[in-house]
Short mmCIF file of all heavy atoms in Angstrom, two decimals:
data_model
loop_
_atom_site.label_atom_id
_atom_site.label_comp_id
_atom_site.label_asym_id
_atom_site.label_seq_id
_atom_site.Cartn_x
_atom_site.Cartn_y
_atom_site.Cartn_z
N MET A 1 90.31 136.09 100.23
CA MET A 1 90.76 136.62 101.44
C MET A 1 90.91 135.60 102.61
O MET A 1 91.82 135.75 103.47
CB MET A 1 89.79 137.76 101.95
CG MET A 1 89.95 139.01 101.03
SD MET A 1 91.46 139.85 101.34
CE MET A 1 91.14 140.58 102.95
N LEU A 2 89.97 134.69 102.62
CA LEU A 2 90.10 133.52 103.62
C LEU A 2 91.31 132.85 103.43
O LEU A 2 92.05 132.53 104.37
CB LEU A 2 88.91 132.60 103.36
CG LEU A 2 87.48 132.92 104.07
CD1 LEU A 2 86.48 131.99 103.50
CD2 LEU A 2 87.57 133.00 105.52
N TYR A 3 91.71 132.57 102.15
CA TYR A 3 93.01 131.83 101.96
C TYR A 3 94.26 132.69 102.13
O TYR A 3 95.25 132.22 102.86
CB TYR A 3 92.99 131.19 100.61
CG TYR A 3 94.35 130.43 100.29
CD1 TYR A 3 94.57 129.17 100.78
CD2 TYR A 3 95.21 131.00 99.35
CE1 TYR A 3 95.72 128.56 100.61
CE2 TYR A 3 96.44 130.42 99.20
CZ TYR A 3 96.65 129.09 99.75
OH TYR A 3 97.82 128.49 99.42
N ASP A 4 94.21 133.83 101.48
CA ASP A 4 95.45 134.71 101.53
C ASP A 4 95.77 135.17 102.84
O ASP A 4 97.07 135.31 103.19
CB ASP A 4 95.24 135.80 100.56
CG ASP A 4 96.56 136.46 100.19
OD1 ASP A 4 97.68 135.79 100.06
OD2 ASP A 4 96.61 137.76 100.02
N THR A 5 94.86 135.49 103.63
CA THR A 5 95.15 136.05 104.97
C THR A 5 95.23 134.94 106.03
O THR A 5 95.71 135.10 107.23
CB THR A 5 94.14 137.00 105.48
OG1 THR A 5 92.83 136.37 105.52
CG2 THR A 5 94.05 138.21 104.47
N GLY A 6 94.70 133.72 105.84
CA GLY A 6 94.60 132.61 106.80
C GLY A 6 93.71 133.08 107.87
O GLY A 6 93.82 132.52 109.07
N ALA A 7 92.76 133.82 107.68
CA ALA A 7 91.86 134.41 108.69
C ALA A 7 90.75 133.48 109.04
O ALA A 7 90.33 132.55 108.26
CB ALA A 7 91.35 135.76 108.32
N ARG A 8 90.20 133.57 110.27
CA ARG A 8 89.01 132.89 110.68
C ARG A 8 87.90 133.63 109.92
O ARG A 8 88.04 134.74 109.61
CB ARG A 8 88.82 132.91 112.17
CG ARG A 8 90.03 132.42 112.90
CD ARG A 8 89.73 132.60 114.41
NE ARG A 8 90.84 132.07 115.25
CZ ARG A 8 91.95 132.78 115.68
NH1 ARG A 8 92.04 134.16 115.17
NH2 ARG A 8 92.91 132.33 116.27
N LEU A 9 86.75 132.89 109.78
CA LEU A 9 85.61 133.35 109.02
C LEU A 9 85.16 134.66 109.81
O LEU A 9 84.82 135.63 109.24
CB LEU A 9 84.60 132.36 108.96
CG LEU A 9 83.16 132.79 108.35
CD1 LEU A 9 83.39 133.47 106.94
CD2 LEU A 9 82.16 131.78 108.20
N SER A 10 85.03 134.54 111.13
CA SER A 10 84.52 135.67 111.95
C SER A 10 85.36 136.87 111.68
O SER A 10 84.87 138.02 111.69
CB SER A 10 84.52 135.32 113.42
OG SER A 10 85.81 134.93 113.95
N GLU A 11 86.72 136.72 111.51
CA GLU A 11 87.60 137.91 111.31
C GLU A 11 87.28 138.53 109.96
O GLU A 11 87.39 139.73 109.80
CB GLU A 11 89.04 137.45 111.36
CG GLU A 11 89.47 136.97 112.84
CD GLU A 11 90.87 136.24 112.81
OE1 GLU A 11 91.38 135.78 111.76
OE2 GLU A 11 91.40 136.23 113.94
N ILE A 12 87.03 137.68 108.94
CA ILE A 12 86.79 138.16 107.64
C ILE A 12 85.50 138.94 107.56
O ILE A 12 85.31 140.09 107.00
CB ILE A 12 86.72 137.09 106.54
CG1 ILE A 12 88.16 136.51 106.36
CG2 ILE A 12 86.20 137.59 105.31
CD1 ILE A 12 89.18 137.48 105.85
N LEU A 13 84.43 138.45 108.33
CA LEU A 13 83.11 139.19 108.25
C LEU A 13 83.07 140.44 109.05
O LEU A 13 82.21 141.24 108.91
CB LEU A 13 82.09 138.10 108.77
CG LEU A 13 81.86 136.94 107.87
CD1 LEU A 13 80.82 136.03 108.36
CD2 LEU A 13 81.63 137.23 106.50
N LEU A 14 84.10 140.57 109.97
CA LEU A 14 84.16 141.72 110.78
C LEU A 14 84.86 142.89 110.06
O LEU A 14 84.93 144.05 110.48
CB LEU A 14 84.86 141.47 112.18
CG LEU A 14 84.10 140.75 113.27
CD1 LEU A 14 84.93 140.43 114.47
CD2 LEU A 14 82.88 141.67 113.73
N LEU A 15 85.56 142.55 108.97
CA LEU A 15 86.39 143.47 108.17
C LEU A 15 85.59 144.67 107.77
O LEU A 15 84.49 144.42 107.19
CB LEU A 15 87.06 142.83 107.04
CG LEU A 15 88.32 142.05 107.26
CD1 LEU A 15 88.99 141.52 106.05
CD2 LEU A 15 89.42 142.92 108.00
N LYS A 16 86.11 145.84 108.02
CA LYS A 16 85.43 147.11 107.46
C LYS A 16 86.46 147.60 106.41
O LYS A 16 87.61 147.35 106.40
CB LYS A 16 85.13 148.01 108.60
CG LYS A 16 84.04 147.51 109.48
CD LYS A 16 83.68 148.46 110.52
CE LYS A 16 82.51 147.94 111.45
NZ LYS A 16 82.04 148.82 112.43
N ARG A 17 85.83 148.68 105.64
CA ARG A 17 86.80 149.27 104.64
C ARG A 17 87.88 149.91 105.29
O ARG A 17 88.98 149.80 104.61
CB ARG A 17 85.88 150.37 103.94
CG ARG A 17 86.55 151.14 102.84
CD ARG A 17 86.91 150.21 101.66
NE ARG A 17 87.87 151.02 100.72
CZ ARG A 17 89.15 151.19 100.87
NH1 ARG A 17 89.69 150.57 101.90
NH2 ARG A 17 89.81 151.85 100.00
N LYS A 18 87.87 150.47 106.49
CA LYS A 18 88.93 151.13 107.10
C LYS A 18 90.03 150.23 107.51
O LYS A 18 91.23 150.64 107.78
CB LYS A 18 88.45 151.93 108.30
CG LYS A 18 87.96 150.98 109.38
CD LYS A 18 87.47 151.91 110.60
CE LYS A 18 86.99 150.89 111.79
NZ LYS A 18 86.55 151.70 112.87
N ASP A 19 89.80 148.86 107.51
CA ASP A 19 90.87 148.00 107.96
C ASP A 19 91.81 147.58 106.88
O ASP A 19 92.71 146.82 107.15
CB ASP A 19 90.09 146.56 108.46
CG ASP A 19 89.27 146.85 109.73
OD1 ASP A 19 89.79 147.71 110.55
OD2 ASP A 19 88.15 146.22 109.78
N LEU A 20 91.59 148.04 105.64
CA LEU A 20 92.54 147.86 104.66
C LEU A 20 93.41 148.99 104.33
O LEU A 20 92.86 150.14 104.29
CB LEU A 20 91.80 147.49 103.32
CG LEU A 20 90.85 146.18 103.28
CD1 LEU A 20 90.08 146.19 102.04
CD2 LEU A 20 91.66 144.95 103.37
N ASP A 21 94.58 148.78 104.11
CA ASP A 21 95.52 149.82 103.63
C ASP A 21 96.24 149.29 102.31
O ASP A 21 97.22 148.47 102.44
CB ASP A 21 96.60 150.25 104.57
CG ASP A 21 97.39 151.36 104.24
OD1 ASP A 21 97.42 151.74 103.01
OD2 ASP A 21 97.96 152.03 105.14
N LEU A 22 95.75 149.70 101.20
CA LEU A 22 96.23 149.22 99.88
C LEU A 22 97.08 150.26 99.13
O LEU A 22 97.59 149.95 98.17
CB LEU A 22 94.91 148.89 99.03
CG LEU A 22 93.86 147.99 99.56
CD1 LEU A 22 92.71 147.73 98.63
CD2 LEU A 22 94.58 146.62 100.03
N ILE A 23 97.18 151.43 99.75
CA ILE A 23 98.01 152.47 99.16
C ILE A 23 99.53 152.42 99.57
O ILE A 23 100.37 152.71 98.76
CB ILE A 23 97.44 153.74 99.55
CG1 ILE A 23 95.91 153.96 99.08
CG2 ILE A 23 98.26 154.95 98.85
CD1 ILE A 23 95.27 155.20 99.52
N THR A 24 99.78 151.87 100.83
CA THR A 24 101.23 151.83 101.10
C THR A 24 102.05 150.94 100.33
O THR A 24 101.45 150.14 99.52
CB THR A 24 101.29 151.42 102.69
OG1 THR A 24 102.59 151.29 103.13
CG2 THR A 24 100.74 149.91 102.70
N THR A 25 103.38 151.03 100.47
CA THR A 25 104.21 150.23 99.62
C THR A 25 104.10 148.78 100.03
O THR A 25 104.46 147.83 99.24
CB THR A 25 105.63 150.61 99.74
OG1 THR A 25 106.07 150.77 101.17
CG2 THR A 25 105.85 152.05 99.19
N GLU A 26 103.78 148.52 101.31
CA GLU A 26 103.53 147.10 101.74
C GLU A 26 102.02 147.04 102.25
O GLU A 26 101.85 147.04 103.47
CB GLU A 26 104.46 146.70 102.81
CG GLU A 26 105.97 146.76 102.29
CD GLU A 26 106.84 146.37 103.36
OE1 GLU A 26 106.48 146.14 104.56
OE2 GLU A 26 108.15 146.27 103.18
N PRO A 27 101.14 146.61 101.33
CA PRO A 27 99.76 146.69 101.67
C PRO A 27 99.46 145.63 102.83
O PRO A 27 100.10 144.59 102.80
CB PRO A 27 99.03 146.27 100.36
CG PRO A 27 99.95 146.71 99.28
CD PRO A 27 101.34 146.47 99.92
N TYR A 28 98.42 145.94 103.68
CA TYR A 28 98.06 145.03 104.71
C TYR A 28 96.60 145.19 105.08
O TYR A 28 95.91 146.07 104.61
CB TYR A 28 99.05 145.29 105.90
CG TYR A 28 98.87 146.70 106.60
CD1 TYR A 28 97.80 146.92 107.41
CD2 TYR A 28 99.65 147.70 106.13
CE1 TYR A 28 97.64 148.13 107.96
CE2 TYR A 28 99.51 149.02 106.72
CZ TYR A 28 98.56 149.23 107.54
OH TYR A 28 98.41 150.48 108.15
N VAL A 29 96.29 144.17 106.03
CA VAL A 29 94.87 144.26 106.49
C VAL A 29 94.88 144.09 108.07
O VAL A 29 95.75 143.38 108.51
CB VAL A 29 93.98 143.10 105.88
CG1 VAL A 29 94.50 141.83 106.11
CG2 VAL A 29 92.52 143.18 106.42
N TRP A 30 94.06 144.82 108.75
CA TRP A 30 94.03 144.59 110.17
C TRP A 30 92.85 143.64 110.51
O TRP A 30 91.72 143.79 110.05
CB TRP A 30 93.52 146.03 110.81
CG TRP A 30 94.60 146.96 111.23
CD1 TRP A 30 95.05 148.02 110.55
CD2 TRP A 30 95.45 146.88 112.43
NE1 TRP A 30 96.09 148.65 111.23
CE2 TRP A 30 96.27 147.98 112.34
CE3 TRP A 30 95.53 145.98 113.44
CZ2 TRP A 30 97.31 148.23 113.31
CZ3 TRP A 30 96.41 146.18 114.46
CH2 TRP A 30 97.28 147.28 114.37
N LEU A 31 93.33 142.60 111.11
CA LEU A 31 92.36 141.56 111.56
C LEU A 31 92.05 141.59 113.08
O LEU A 31 92.88 141.93 113.86
CB LEU A 31 92.81 140.06 111.21
CG LEU A 31 93.07 139.81 109.72
CD1 LEU A 31 93.74 138.51 109.63
CD2 LEU A 31 91.78 139.86 109.08
N HIS A 32 90.73 141.55 113.34
CA HIS A 32 90.31 141.58 114.69
C HIS A 32 89.89 140.17 115.16
O HIS A 32 88.93 139.56 114.90
CB HIS A 32 89.02 142.44 114.90
CG HIS A 32 89.33 143.74 114.22
ND1 HIS A 32 89.84 144.82 115.03
CD2 HIS A 32 89.09 144.42 113.07
CE1 HIS A 32 89.95 145.89 114.24
NE2 HIS A 32 89.59 145.63 113.07
N GLY A 33 90.88 139.47 116.00
CA GLY A 33 90.81 138.13 116.29
C GLY A 33 90.14 137.78 117.68
O GLY A 33 89.39 138.65 118.26
N LYS A 34 90.37 136.64 118.19
CA LYS A 34 89.79 136.23 119.35
C LYS A 34 90.23 136.98 120.51
O LYS A 34 91.40 137.47 120.54
CB LYS A 34 90.06 134.66 119.72
CG LYS A 34 89.43 133.71 118.80
CD LYS A 34 89.77 132.34 119.18
CE LYS A 34 89.05 131.21 118.33
NZ LYS A 34 89.46 129.88 118.76
N GLY A 35 89.32 137.30 121.54
CA GLY A 35 89.76 137.96 122.70
C GLY A 35 90.10 139.40 122.32
O GLY A 35 90.86 140.05 123.08
N ASN A 36 89.41 140.00 121.28
CA ASN A 36 89.61 141.32 120.87
C ASN A 36 91.08 141.60 120.60
O ASN A 36 91.58 142.84 120.57
CB ASN A 36 89.20 142.31 122.01
CG ASN A 36 87.71 142.27 122.31
OD1 ASN A 36 87.02 142.12 121.29
ND2 ASN A 36 87.27 142.36 123.49
N LYS A 37 91.90 140.56 120.19
CA LYS A 37 93.18 140.78 119.71
C LYS A 37 93.31 141.16 118.29
O LYS A 37 92.49 140.55 117.49
CB LYS A 37 94.09 139.50 120.02
CG LYS A 37 94.20 139.09 121.44
CD LYS A 37 94.86 137.72 121.61
CE LYS A 37 94.96 137.26 123.00
NZ LYS A 37 95.59 135.97 123.25
N GLN A 38 94.20 142.06 117.98
CA GLN A 38 94.34 142.52 116.60
C GLN A 38 95.74 142.17 116.03
O GLN A 38 96.67 142.15 116.79
CB GLN A 38 94.19 144.02 116.54
CG GLN A 38 92.77 144.52 117.01
CD GLN A 38 92.58 146.07 116.95
OE1 GLN A 38 93.54 146.67 116.45
NE2 GLN A 38 91.37 146.57 117.17
N ARG A 39 95.76 142.04 114.81
CA ARG A 39 97.10 141.73 114.18
C ARG A 39 97.10 142.26 112.71
O ARG A 39 95.98 142.30 112.14
CB ARG A 39 97.45 140.23 114.18
CG ARG A 39 96.52 139.40 113.34
CD ARG A 39 96.85 137.85 113.48
NE ARG A 39 96.19 136.96 112.58
CZ ARG A 39 94.88 136.54 112.82
NH1 ARG A 39 94.32 136.99 113.82
NH2 ARG A 39 94.28 135.73 111.81
N ILE A 40 98.17 142.52 112.19
CA ILE A 40 98.44 143.01 110.80
C ILE A 40 98.79 141.76 110.00
O ILE A 40 99.83 141.11 110.30
CB ILE A 40 99.36 144.12 110.70
CG1 ILE A 40 98.86 145.43 111.41
CG2 ILE A 40 99.75 144.43 109.33
CD1 ILE A 40 99.87 146.56 111.55
N VAL A 41 98.28 141.59 108.80
CA VAL A 41 98.55 140.55 107.89
C VAL A 41 98.86 141.22 106.53
O VAL A 41 98.03 141.92 106.05
CB VAL A 41 97.45 139.48 107.82
CG1 VAL A 41 97.85 138.62 106.73
CG2 VAL A 41 97.18 138.84 109.19
N PRO A 42 100.06 140.93 106.03
CA PRO A 42 100.39 141.48 104.74
C PRO A 42 99.56 140.91 103.63
O PRO A 42 99.10 139.73 103.68
CB PRO A 42 101.96 141.19 104.58
CG PRO A 42 102.10 139.97 105.39
CD PRO A 42 101.15 140.14 106.57
N LEU A 43 99.30 141.63 102.60
CA LEU A 43 98.38 141.15 101.33
C LEU A 43 99.43 140.80 100.20
O LEU A 43 100.30 141.74 99.87
CB LEU A 43 97.38 142.01 101.16
CG LEU A 43 96.32 142.30 102.20
CD1 LEU A 43 95.40 143.50 101.81
CD2 LEU A 43 95.47 141.03 102.33
N MET A 44 99.13 139.79 99.45
CA MET A 44 99.91 139.60 98.24
C MET A 44 99.53 140.56 97.20
O MET A 44 98.43 140.99 97.06
CB MET A 44 99.71 138.12 97.82
CG MET A 44 100.12 137.08 98.85
SD MET A 44 102.03 137.19 99.34
CE MET A 44 101.98 138.03 100.88
N ASP A 45 100.40 140.82 96.25
CA ASP A 45 100.14 141.79 95.17
C ASP A 45 98.91 141.49 94.26
O ASP A 45 98.13 142.29 93.99
CB ASP A 45 101.37 141.75 94.19
CG ASP A 45 102.57 142.38 94.92
OD1 ASP A 45 102.42 143.05 95.88
OD2 ASP A 45 103.77 142.16 94.47
N LYS A 46 98.76 140.10 94.01
CA LYS A 46 97.55 139.74 93.23
C LYS A 46 96.29 140.02 93.94
O LYS A 46 95.24 140.47 93.41
CB LYS A 46 97.66 138.25 92.74
CG LYS A 46 96.60 137.84 91.87
CD LYS A 46 96.75 136.37 91.33
CE LYS A 46 95.63 136.06 90.38
NZ LYS A 46 95.83 134.60 89.98
#
């Protein structure tokens, strides 16, 4: 996850189960970054 999302460690450790959407046709993760900014990062199939 650190590599595939390019996320900061703090962003990965803040991840909760609800931040993942693996059912949609284009799976993604919600990351909570610096300054309470959020962004969507797509996830690779593997």
Side-chain angles (χ1 to χ4, degrees):
M1 286 293 286
L2 281 170
Y3 177 74
D4 195 36
T5 64
R8 304 174 181 91
L9 176 58
S10 59
E11 294 171 340
I12 291 297
L13 295 184
L14 283 173
L15 279 179
K16 295 184 178 180
R17 178 65 188 87
K18 66 179 181 180
D19 295 321
L20 296 172
D21 191 339
L22 308 180
I23 302 176
T24 182
T25 54
E26 297 181 356
Y28 63 85
V29 58
W30 271 102
L31 293 177
H32 307 272
K34 288 184 176 181
N36 295 322
K37 295 176 182 176
Q38 298 182 358
R39 68 185 186 280
I40 292 178
V41 173
L43 295 169
M44 300 299 100
D45 292 340
K46 186 176 181 180

